[in-house]
């Protein structure tokens, strides 16, 4: 099978769910965000906004507000988080929030946000960082405490789409998800 640095990065990325308290170098964050900004979008509308949360108080507020919302809205998901250490962001020192415009100009803003977060995750992996693509942190922008936090990280006229939790993993080289080739619908012969 053919391979190169990009394909190796894709194959080695995994969802990290335990981070050290080591701060992510701001230059690495800048490079990761740049990769997200370079993502393609439908009709080049670029309906996303990217915010970086590194303030420990804000990270704690996001985690606490999100867990409170999760406990009420999804008890099964809440129990899963409790079983994984009791945190939505796995004690990571940084969360990148991708929000999308809340209008109907964009053809597929959530798809575009998915492309952005994928590029963010691959950029993080290429720089030796670990990450986890996560929707649950969006709960941290709901409720009374969360709405106040949202005013700082989600621009007016936008809504949370997805996030990327990043940092230095307690396990640097985790296990990528299992590949299920039965999901391949069409293939070609050589």
């Amino acid at each position: 099978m053919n391979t190169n640095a990009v394909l190796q990065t894709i194959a080695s990325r995994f969802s990290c769910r335990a981070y050290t308290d080591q701060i992510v170098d701001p230059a690495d964050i800048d490079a990761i965000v740049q990769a997200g900004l370079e993502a393609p979008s439908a009709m080049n509308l670029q309906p996303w906004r990217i915010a970086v949360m590194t303030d420990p108080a804000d990270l704690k507020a996001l985690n606490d507000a999100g867990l409170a919302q999760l406990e009420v809205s999804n008890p099964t998901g809440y129990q899963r988080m409790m079983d994984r250490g009791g945190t939505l962001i796995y004690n990571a020192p940084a969360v990148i929030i991708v929000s999308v415009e809340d209008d109907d100009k964009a053809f597929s803003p959530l798809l575009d946000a998915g492309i952005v977060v994928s590029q963010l995750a691959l950029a993080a992996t290429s720089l030796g960082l670990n990450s986890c693509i996560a929707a649950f942190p969006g709960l941290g922008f709901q409720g009374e405490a969360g709405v106040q936090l949202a005013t700082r990280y989600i621009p007016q006229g936008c809504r949370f789409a997805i996030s990327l939790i990043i940092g230095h993993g307690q396990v640097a080289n985790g296990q990528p998800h299992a590949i299920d080739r039965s999901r391949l619908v069409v293939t070609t012969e050589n």
Side-chain angles (χ1 to χ4, degrees):
M1 180 187 286
N2 291 339
T3 191
N4 61 31
V6 173
L7 295 174
Q8 290 169 357
T9 297
I10 292 168
S12 67
R13 196 209 68 78
F14 70 99
S15 294
C16 181
R17 292 188 174 91
Y19 294 87
T20 70
D21 59 2
Q22 183 180 348
I23 301 301
V24 178
D25 185 323
D28 286 344
I29 290 175
D30 287 345
I32 293 165
V33 169
Q34 182 66 35
L37 293 172
E38 292 172 354
S41 64
M43 301 186 322
N44 197 31
L45 291 176
Q46 302 174 25
W48 58 74
R49 301 296 177 269
I50 299 172
V52 179
M53 182 183 292
T54 57
D55 179 85
D58 286 349
L59 291 165
K60 181 177 181 345
L62 178 73
N63 186 72
D64 293 350
L67 282 175
Q69 288 295 316
L70 185 61
E71 185 174 21
V72 172
S73 66
N74 184 340
T76 302
Y78 176 79
Q79 189 55 54
R80 184 176 178 190
M81 285 295 148
M82 292 299 104
D83 293 345
R84 287 184 169 173
T87 174
L88 286 180
I89 60 171
Y90 310 111
N91 300 311
V95 176
I96 300 176
I97 297 114
V98 180
S99 56
V100 292
E101 295 171 356
D102 216 6
D103 62 30
D104 54 359
K105 285 187 284 187
F107 177 72
S108 54
L110 293 177
L111 176 62
D112 291 338
I115 296 167
V116 169
V117 79
S118 182
Q119 288 202 188
L120 294 169
L122 293 174
T125 300
S126 76
L127 294 171
L129 294 166
N130 302 108
S131 67
C132 183
I133 297 171
F136 276 152
L139 294 171
F141 296 113
Q142 299 176 15
E144 192 174 319
V147 168
Q148 292 213 332
L149 195 59
T151 62
R152 296 184 40 216
Y153 292 96
I154 300 176
Q156 187 171 5
C158 293
R159 61 189 163 95
F160 175 85
I162 194 76
S163 69
L164 183 71
I165 300 165
I166 61 171
H168 299 274
Q170 289 181 11
V171 174
N173 296 313
Q175 183 65 37
H177 68 275
I179 302 299
D180 181 356
R181 294 204 48 96
S182 72
R183 295 184 180 272
L184 181 62
V185 177
V186 177
T187 187
T188 60
E189 293 181 23
N190 290 335

